[in-house]
Amino acid sequence: MAFIRRRRLEQELYSKERFSLLLLNLEEYYFEQHTANHIINKGCRDERKIRGSLKICSKSIIFEPDENIQPIIKIPLRDCISIKAPEDNEANNPFTRETSGGISVVCNQAFLIKERNIIAPYKTVRGTTEHLFQLDVAGKVGDVVQTLHQLYRASCLDKMGDQAAMITAILQSRLARTSFDKNRFQSISETLNMECKAEMVTPLVTNPGHVCVTDANLYFQPLNGYPKPVVQITLQNVRRIYKRRHGLMPLGLEVFCTENDLCSDIYLKFYSCQDRDELYFLIATYLENHITEHTAESYMLQWQRGHLSNYEYLLHLNNLADRSCNDLSQYPVFPWIIADYSSSVLDLTKPETFRDLSKPIGALNKERLDRLLTRYQEMPEPKFMYGSHYSSPGYVLFYLVRVAPEYMLCLQNGKFDHADRTFNSLAETWKNCLDGATDFKELIPEFYENDSSFLVNSLKLDLGKRQGGKTVEDVELPPWASGPDDFLQKSREALESQYVSEHLHEWIDIVFGYKQKGTEAVAAHNVFHPLTYEGGVDLNSIMDPNEKVALLTQILEFGQTPKQLFTVPHPQRILSKSSSRTSFHSVSITESPVSVHEESFEDLTEESITLAWNNIAKLKLDEQYKIHKEAITGIAVTSNGSSVFTTSQDSTLKMFSKESKTLQRSVSFSNMALSSCLILPGDTTVISSSWDNHIYFYSIAFGRRQDILMGHDDAVSKICWRDGRLYSASWDSTVKVWHCVPGETLSNKKHHFELLAELEHDVSVNTIDLNAANTVLASGTKEGTISIWDVTTATMLHQLSCHSGTVFEAAFSPDSRHLLSAGEDCCFKVIDVQTGMLISSVTADEPQRCFKWDGNTILSGSQSGELLIWDLLGGKVTERIRGHTGGVMSMWMNEQCNSVITGGEDKQIIFWKLQY
């Protein structure tokens, strides 16, 4: 649990200190500290000196006694009546020569905090009181008093914007007079790359100082030396780095030294976007050779294919959407999953156990929604349906008050919330989210992790008594949970359940996706206040400082909508065969029922295929033969593997015997190049496509051309055969579907062709592929466009401009959920077939001309002649195998995936074998 883990780490590091930046007001800075005595009852018989530290902050004076039994004193500067250092010649001066270095602060209000080191609401002391402080270094009194007078004048300004502007000027002046201490470098050989001013961000707090990045380390040196003189991060340890929005401005930068954690190592806020971007560039440049940058689409692919859990995927989406544990107005958001908090047993097989993930919280109760929609219709622009957000600092601390009480006290000016509004019960909280007029909150990651301390009042906090007189203690759990740990375990099981896996994409559409904004958001009843959305307001255009401060305060309290990650419907997760096949009805995944015997045979085949792909890096060159005069464009093999047919740009179709290792036939149909070939079922006929616009049928048994299909007006680039139908792609900008009756079944021995469909494109089509059910066809053009067609209705489902040059090859994954394409632009692209969303892009060093893949791993033939093995989910090459001396132009793989044949520009065919 990131937040709780961070809090515990801070407590371990600074356990001796009671002071923390959480004692400051929001947007307040801690400038300096001085060892001092607080003198009580000066001049009286019971005069006492309390040893401690005097903290000078931008809106308050704080005295922290060394003894834990004494309370910390916080004096707001706005409540001060006078601040002075009494002069030596004052007759009534309470300070004598023995007590030089004194400062007198007269105020009409002060707060006592952590008396006896107990975390509790602040005690308020009202009435005129004089506090006398004696600094150890008397010579600093003048400077301290002068600073306090400056800050006092700022705090007395009427408007918040004017106060903020004056405090900012004082802060910038202090930063300008200091610089990073180079003696803090880890090594004298380090080279300085950049230094600038910035603030380190932690929940509810920012701490100004200097950032420095060298060729080896990232440093932050707080202006006040708190909580330690310098924070250092070794660049070699950095795993992720994100640009962040902070306070609606693109000024944040968050650095992680872990792969899968919400808790970052440092979050910095800069004073200019240029500084932020320059530092990001320096660190990213250092990292680019070490780390693969992941996008939302690449994580989506990993999630779809089961490499990420639902929990892990939501963590990554939150990270990419600017959600951070260091920013409570943008804290990671997780969904309510369970809707049953009354049963004694939690049944995860019943749909009614779960919340409807296709709707936002505010739309789950129809009666409440109807009232909200009525108000929405009557509202002037800008309209919004919900007066509060689903994630805000108040909501986060509502859940975490038992482990983060100081944060709640900071947010609520030294008070806990009313006992009846505290997080008392899961059932009550869920009911209020369903029925409450202004309660639409979602959950936080902690509900699906393994630290249940936020549900238990282990700190024995006095959180008050409810109306019935009951004291607020631990959170009341549902009957089906035997305890806090059991509750979290069952919640996590629910999150990873089949029902949620089938429907989580619907919630993602609402929070991170295409239903977040615009007309889709209106239709989904998902419209919040305009200020909560990225780009909802341009702070740079607001000249009035008071208006700007008011907007920032409003956003901090109200919360912010995540950055939009997807603009088209999010694909559903791919479930295993054992999972129930519900909801996701699409032509792309039509499945035929199979018998038990067929299923078991399929399982054995799948096991052998999985084994082959897991060992694909062990592919070894077996034999190679130069059989053509030009580049080889197509490869087809008879079912028994004995004969290999190849086509070439030298215009010939050749038959090579694998057994005798000899060229047995060579046929030329015209003087134009042949582009591809295939063998019809039964191994009696070979079909070849040609640049002369024709498709040729060659009889293996009779050794002669059997038929010609003159079906196009330009070169035929690719052909496929499925269930008695021929699919032909051409540079004439069409793909044609033919019903073909083989000649052997007719008395005249000629084939009979019937044009069933013509799929028209704007430009030349270079490649095609069909899904396993033969219901969806994908086409790739010379201009880089991928089109996905429903063959049964001859209609286009999706069209994407994927590549910046020719699409060399496109192929469906074995489960038909995804389409992979390779282009002239050196890129692999992965498309989700159901939604048409581009979900992954991997860039190679050179074009990959052909490939085979199993949905996770790619075996590709490169322009240079190597075979490359790719970890698609990791976006990297895992193995390079030397083969051809020119580009690999074509590739064949057997059904078991353990035998490969490639054809190249070097006119050779190479036989490859998998050696386990």
Side-chain angles (χ1 to χ4, degrees):
M1 184 178 296
F3 188 95
I4 297 174
R5 189 164 63 250
R6 172 182 286 278
R7 186 73 187 116
R8 284 177 177 162
L9 180 63
E10 289 174 353
Q11 289 172 342
E12 289 173 9
L13 289 174
Y14 319 121
S15 56
K16 294 181 180 180
E17 291 192 46
R18 289 189 295 158
F19 171 80
S20 84
L21 298 180
L22 292 169
L23 299 183
L24 278 58
N25 294 347
L26 297 177
E27 303 299 319
E28 183 176 8
Y29 298 109
Y30 166 37
F31 284 141
E32 61 191 55
Q33 73 165 352
H34 304 273
T35 51
N37 290 318
H38 182 209
I39 301 177
I40 308 293
N41 300 326
K42 175 64 182 173
C44 299
R45 184 175 298 175
D46 57 348
E47 175 182 323
R48 287 187 299 138
K49 291 183 179 181
I50 299 176
R51 188 76 175 152
S53 173
L54 189 67
K55 324 279 186 181
I56 309 302
C57 307
S58 59
K59 297 180 182 180
S60 61
I61 303 168
I62 296 176
F63 181 76
E64 178 191 18
D66 291 343
E67 294 181 10
N68 286 349
I69 196 171
Q70 298 292 335
I72 295 172
I73 301 171
K74 178 179 178 179
I75 306 170
L77 286 169
R78 68 174 183 272
D79 293 325
C80 289
I81 298 171
S82 70
I83 302 170
K84 60 184 179 180
E87 296 175 5
D88 292 341
N89 57 1
E90 272 189 293
N92 59 350
N93 181 6
F95 290 98
T96 64
R97 284 179 183 146
E98 288 77 20
T99 57
S100 61
I103 298 175
S104 167
V105 179
V106 180
C107 64
N108 54 33
Q109 181 172 256
F111 299 102
L112 305 182
I113 305 169
K114 287 188 177 179
E115 189 171 3
R116 298 182 183 276
N117 208 26
I118 296 172
I119 300 172
Y122 302 170
K123 292 181 180 179
T124 305
V125 178
R126 293 185 174 89
T128 302
T129 307
E130 183 177 23
H131 295 271
L132 304 174
F133 301 103
Q134 182 183 25
L135 304 188
D136 281 9
V137 182
K140 290 186 177 181
V141 168
D143 290 339
V144 171
V145 171
Q146 184 180 3
T147 297
L148 289 174
H149 283 166
Q150 267 189 316
L151 296 170
Y152 172 73
R153 286 195 297 273
S155 67
C156 290
L157 294 172
D158 292 334
K159 296 181 178 179
M160 294 298 294
D162 295 337
Q163 288 184 28
M166 186 169 176
I167 290 171
T168 299
I170 295 170
L171 170 63
Q172 292 300 322
S173 174
R174 283 175 165 260
L175 287 170
R177 295 196 301 269
T178 57
S179 62
F180 186 87
D181 180 5
K182 308 302 187 297
N183 292 321
R184 294 288 181 181
F185 282 179
Q186 293 289 301
S187 168
I188 57 173
S189 63
E190 284 185 65
T191 303
L192 175 65
N193 288 330
M194 178 189 177
E195 180 183 347
C196 66
K197 298 174 288 185
E199 296 176 11
M200 187 169 77
V201 179
T202 53
L204 301 180
V205 169
T206 59
N207 199 13
H210 295 275
V211 169
C212 186
V213 64
T214 69
D215 56 348
N217 293 290
L218 170 67
Y219 299 95
F220 176 77
Q221 186 171 32
L223 183 66
N224 50 35
Y226 180 88
K228 53 185 179 179
V230 68
V231 177
Q232 177 255 328
I233 293 174
T234 303
L235 294 181
Q236 195 172 0
N237 294 336
V238 174
R239 290 293 170 267
R240 294 175 289 147
I241 179 169
Y242 297 98
K243 292 181 180 179
R244 298 292 194 211
R245 269 185 310 161
H246 188 274
L248 297 181
M249 300 287 284
L251 299 173
L253 187 73
E254 194 161 21
V255 179
F256 293 78
C257 292
T258 54
E259 291 288 357
N260 297 301
D261 200 338
L262 274 174
C263 188
S264 67
D265 289 80
I266 194 168
Y267 186 136
L268 297 169
K269 171 198 169 188
F270 295 81
Y271 296 111
S272 77
C273 188
Q274 290 80 4
D275 284 346
R276 191 276 303 267
D277 290 346
E278 184 179 348
L279 190 73
Y280 177 89
F281 174 78
L282 288 169
I283 299 177
T285 302
Y286 179 89
L287 299 179
E288 66 182 5
N289 295 324
H290 307 280
I291 296 170
T292 301
E293 184 175 352
H294 289 286
T295 62
E297 289 77 16
S298 66
Y299 284 126
M300 179 203 296
L301 184 62
Q302 293 183 55
W303 171 74
Q304 270 197 292
R305 298 208 157 271
H307 293 260
L308 290 176
S309 66
N310 293 337
Y311 168 81
E312 289 169 330
Y313 185 44
L314 289 175
L315 281 190
H316 288 304
L317 292 185
N318 272 285
N319 244 328
L320 292 170
D322 279 343
R323 313 303 284 188
S324 168
C325 284
N326 285 305
D327 186 351
L328 296 189
S329 66
Q330 298 188 93
Y331 200 78
V333 57
F334 269 58
W336 283 96
I337 294 296
I338 298 169
D340 178 3
Y341 294 94
S342 58
S343 299
S344 58
V345 176
L346 185 67
D347 189 347
L348 298 181
T349 64
K350 293 163 55 178
E352 53 267 31
T353 298
F354 300 92
R355 165 258 183 104
D356 185 349
L357 288 165
S358 68
K359 297 176 181 178
I361 289 290
L364 293 177
N365 182 330
K366 187 178 184 305
E367 291 182 8
R368 178 178 66 176
L369 179 62
D370 288 341
R371 294 194 299 270
L372 292 168
L373 290 178
T374 300
R375 188 190 69 173
Y376 174 76
Q377 298 298 336
E378 297 170 351
M379 187 182 293
E381 294 291 346
K383 294 184 175 186
F384 53 91
M385 295 176 185
Y386 307 114
S388 63
H389 205 257
Y390 51 77
S391 175
S392 70
Y395 288 161
V396 173
L397 295 177
F398 168 83
Y399 291 126
L400 297 178
V401 62
R402 288 170 176 80
V403 289
E406 291 169 276
Y407 292 86
M408 178 65 86
L409 293 172
C410 176
L411 185 68
Q412 300 204 147
N413 299 315
K415 300 175 183 176
F416 289 134
D417 206 346
H418 190 279
D420 286 304
R421 291 195 297 269
T422 299
F423 182 30
N424 292 299
S425 156
L426 264 304
E428 282 183 17
T429 303
W430 170 244
K431 185 178 186 303
N432 203 52
C433 287
L434 289 180
D435 302 336
T438 59
D439 193 347
F440 313 108
K441 59 178 170 283
E442 292 278 9
L443 295 182
I444 54 177
E446 282 77 357
F447 280 84
Y448 302 104
E449 295 179 345
N450 54 15
D451 188 339
S452 61
S453 58
F454 74 102
L455 300 170
V456 182
N457 187 15
S458 57
L459 296 177
K460 303 302 179 186
L461 301 169
D462 182 3
L463 297 171
K465 291 185 178 181
R466 305 188 65 181
Q467 284 187 347
K470 186 178 180 181
T471 302
V472 176
E473 290 292 346
D474 299 346
V475 177
E476 185 179 325
L477 303 173
W480 46 257
S482 61
D485 290 341
D486 185 55
F487 170 77
L488 290 192
Q489 182 180 341
K490 287 186 168 70
S491 295
R492 182 64 176 266
E493 289 172 1
L495 178 63
E496 303 301 339
S497 67
Q498 181 184 319
Y499 178 90
V500 175
S501 293
E502 290 174 348
H503 296 279
L504 186 59
H505 64 287
E506 298 171 332
W507 185 82
I508 292 171
D509 283 336
I510 290 169
V511 175
F512 301 106
Y514 82 111
K515 291 184 179 179
Q516 188 196 86
K517 296 179 182 179
T519 56
E520 293 289 352
V522 175
H525 306 131
N526 192 38
V527 183
F528 294 86
H529 195 285
L531 285 179
T532 68
Y533 294 93
E534 184 177 30
V537 61
D538 180 9
L539 285 180
N540 289 324
S541 67
I542 300 174
M543 296 296 106
D544 185 348
N546 298 298
E547 183 182 352
K548 187 177 291 189
V549 169
L551 280 173
L552 283 171
T553 302
Q554 185 177 351
I555 288 303
L556 176 64
E557 294 174 355
F558 197 89
Q560 296 177 56
T561 300
K563 179 179 180 180
Q564 189 175 27
L565 300 178
F566 310 106
T567 56
V568 297
H570 190 288
Q572 190 190 30
R573 190 168 199 181
I574 298 170
L575 301 175
S576 63
K577 283 190 174 183
S578 60
S579 301
S580 165
R581 292 167 181 146
T582 58
S583 62
F584 192 45
H585 295 304
S586 168
V587 292
S588 65
I589 58 160
T590 304
E591 299 185 42
S592 302
V594 292
S595 71
V596 175
H597 298 294
E598 290 173 326
E599 185 79 80
S600 60
F601 177 75
E602 281 185 9
D603 289 343
L604 288 172
T605 305
E606 284 187 11
E607 281 185 23
S608 65
I609 291 172
T610 301
L611 180 64
W613 276 103
N614 286 343
N615 290 276
I616 200 71
K618 298 176 181 177
L619 207 60
K620 303 295 182 185
L621 193 153
D622 186 29
E623 298 169 333
Q624 60 189 90
Y625 304 94
K626 186 174 181 179
I627 60 174
H628 281 278
K629 296 179 180 178
E630 296 292 343
I632 295 169
T633 57
I635 303 171
V637 182
T638 54
S639 57
N640 62 6
S642 62
S643 298
V644 179
F645 289 85
T646 56
T647 51
S648 169
Q649 290 179 3
D650 65 10
S651 78
T652 63
L653 169 70
K654 302 207 175 194
M655 176 179 167
F656 182 86
S657 171
K658 183 74 166 59
E659 294 173 348
S660 65
K661 301 178 182 178
T662 58
L663 183 64
Q664 295 190 328
R665 298 183 193 178
S666 180
V667 184
S668 182
F669 301 117
S670 73
N671 60 356
M672 298 285 283
L674 298 181
S675 56
S676 67
C677 63
L678 57 85
I679 300 176
L680 293 186
D683 292 344
T684 58
T685 304
V686 179
I687 309 177
S688 302
S689 56
S690 173
W691 285 7
D692 67 2
N693 312 352
H694 300 161
I695 299 169
Y696 295 94
F697 290 71
Y698 175 79
S699 171
I700 300 173
F702 295 101
R704 64 172 183 262
R705 189 185 73 195
Q706 188 175 356
D707 212 339
I708 303 175
L709 173 58
M710 295 178 283
H712 288 277
D713 299 324
D714 204 339
V716 183
S717 52
K718 184 76 178 284
I719 52 174
C720 295
W721 178 277
R722 299 285 178 84
D723 292 340
R725 293 185 178 183
L726 177 67
Y727 302 80
S728 57
S730 171
W731 295 353
D732 66 4
S733 305
T734 66
V735 173
K736 294 184 178 181
V737 184
W738 311 86
H739 177 61
C740 184
V741 181
E744 286 77 359
T745 65
L746 301 172
S747 58
N748 61 6
K749 304 298 183 183
K750 292 284 186 179
H751 289 76
H752 173 70
F753 305 105
E754 178 189 355
L755 181 62
L756 299 179
E758 184 171 334
L759 312 179
E760 295 186 357
H761 297 67
D762 296 329
V763 293
S764 299
V765 183
N766 197 59
T767 187
I768 54 172
D769 189 43
L770 279 108
N771 70 337
N774 306 327
T775 54
V776 177
L777 179 143
S779 57
T781 70
K782 282 193 171 185
E783 292 190 1
T785 302
I786 295 287
S787 300
I788 299 176
W789 304 80
D790 181 352
V791 178
T792 59
T793 60
T795 56
M796 185 186 294
L797 300 173
H798 310 290
Q799 188 174 68
L800 295 88
S801 296
C802 285
H803 297 275
S804 57
T806 299
V807 180
F808 289 137
E809 184 150 12
F812 288 93
S813 57
D815 60 13
S816 299
R817 300 293 184 110
H818 295 130
L819 179 77
L820 177 68
S821 61
E824 189 180 6
D825 56 2
C826 306
C827 289
F828 283 116
K829 305 279 186 172
V830 181
I831 297 169
D832 181 81
V833 175
Q834 185 203 21
T835 62
M837 180 188 287
L838 180 64
I839 61 173
S840 184
S841 180
V842 179
T843 303
D845 296 331
E846 58 182 336
Q848 305 298 302
R849 300 301 301 259
C850 55
F851 65 83
K852 299 294 178 182
W853 75 311
D854 71 337
N856 299 312
T857 305
I858 307 170
L859 173 66
S860 67
S862 69
Q863 187 70 51
S864 64
E866 289 181 312
L867 293 190
L868 271 56
I869 297 167
W870 298 79
D871 171 12
L872 179 59
L873 302 178
K876 60 186 178 183
V877 175
T878 58
E879 193 74 32
R880 293 176 180 269
I881 307 171
R882 296 187 66 178
H884 294 270
T885 56
V888 185
M889 305 298 289
S890 55
M891 181 182 295
W892 172 88
M893 177 182 277
N894 68 344
E895 188 178 344
Q896 290 74 33
C897 305
N898 57 15
S899 178
V900 174
I901 305 174
T902 55
E905 284 182 324
D906 58 4
K907 309 155 194 175
Q908 295 192 99
I909 56 170
I910 297 181
F911 293 84
W912 305 83
K913 274 190 177 179
L914 205 54
Q915 298 181 357
Y916 296 107

